[in-house]
């Protein structure tokens, strides 16, 4: 069982930056990790993923070049550095853990554990 707690969300102007953190307990280093987001009235969408070792990452086209996912297995934490934020990045951001540790799945169905989410609002 993995428990995930996100932090770092908030209100930022367009062009600004935020860093989200997701603190985990219970075997964090055994899991691939992902970040998803969900805006009002929209489906949950994949943002970024990272394998257990951190050796492979994947990004949605909409965030490629602006967002960076990373993890620190010693601190049981995964991060999402978000730069050049746009109003369309506004959403609740969730971190998730996938027990199939070698992949970076883009499907939320493949993730086993979820955090409660943190709100990111980008003003224009």
């Amino acid at each position: 069982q993995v428990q995930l707690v996100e932090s770092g969300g908030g209100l930022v102007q367009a062009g600004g930056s935020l860093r989200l953190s997701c603190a985990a307990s219970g075997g964090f280093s055994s899991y691939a990790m992902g970040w998803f987001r969900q805006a009002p009235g929209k489906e949950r969408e994949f943002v970024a993923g990272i394998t257990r070792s951190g050796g492979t990452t994947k990004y949605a086209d909409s965030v490629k070049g602006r967002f960076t996912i990373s993890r620190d297995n010693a601190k049981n934490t995964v991060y999402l550095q978000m730069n050049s934020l746009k109003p369309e990045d506004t959403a609740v951001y969730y971190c998730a853990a996938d027990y199939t540790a070698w992949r970076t799945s883009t499907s939320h169905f493949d993730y086993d554990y979820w955090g409660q989410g943190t709100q990111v609002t980008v003003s224009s």
Side-chain angles (χ1 to χ4, degrees), residues 28-35 46 48-59 69-73 77-79 96-105 111:
F28 171 78
S29 61
S30 298
Y31 292 79
M33 299 298 296
W35 285 96
F46 172 80
I50 188 167
T51 51
R52 178 180 65 182
S53 67
T56 300
T57 58
K58 184 183 292 182
Y59 297 92
I69 188 171
S70 61
R71 67 188 295 162
D72 186 335
N73 286 346
T77 303
V78 62
Y79 304 97
D98 178 4
Y99 193 67
T100 306
W102 53 264
R103 69 182 175 191
T104 52
S105 174
Y111 288 80

Side-chain angles (χ1 to χ4, degrees), residues 5-92:
V5 179
E6 301 97 335
S7 62
L11 174 64
V12 64
Q13 288 188 331
S17 298
L18 283 174
R19 188 175 84 153
L20 305 183
S21 299
C22 174
S25 62
F28 171 78
S29 61
S30 298
Y31 292 79
M33 299 298 296
W35 285 96
F36 288 76
R37 66 187 181 187
Q38 189 166 18
K42 295 188 177 182
E43 294 185 354
R44 190 168 298 192
E45 65 173 355
F46 172 80
V47 175
I50 188 167
T51 51
R52 178 180 65 182
S53 67
T56 300
T57 58
K58 184 183 292 182
Y59 297 92
D61 288 343
S62 59
V63 307
K64 205 170 292 184
R66 300 188 298 123
F67 290 12
T68 303
I69 188 171
S70 61
R71 67 188 295 162
D72 186 335
N73 286 346
K75 294 183 178 180
N76 291 341
T77 303
V78 62
Y79 304 97
L80 185 68
Q81 177 67 44
M82 305 187 295
N83 299 328
S84 302
L85 282 160
K86 304 175 181 179
E88 51 264 44
D89 294 318
T90 295
V92 177

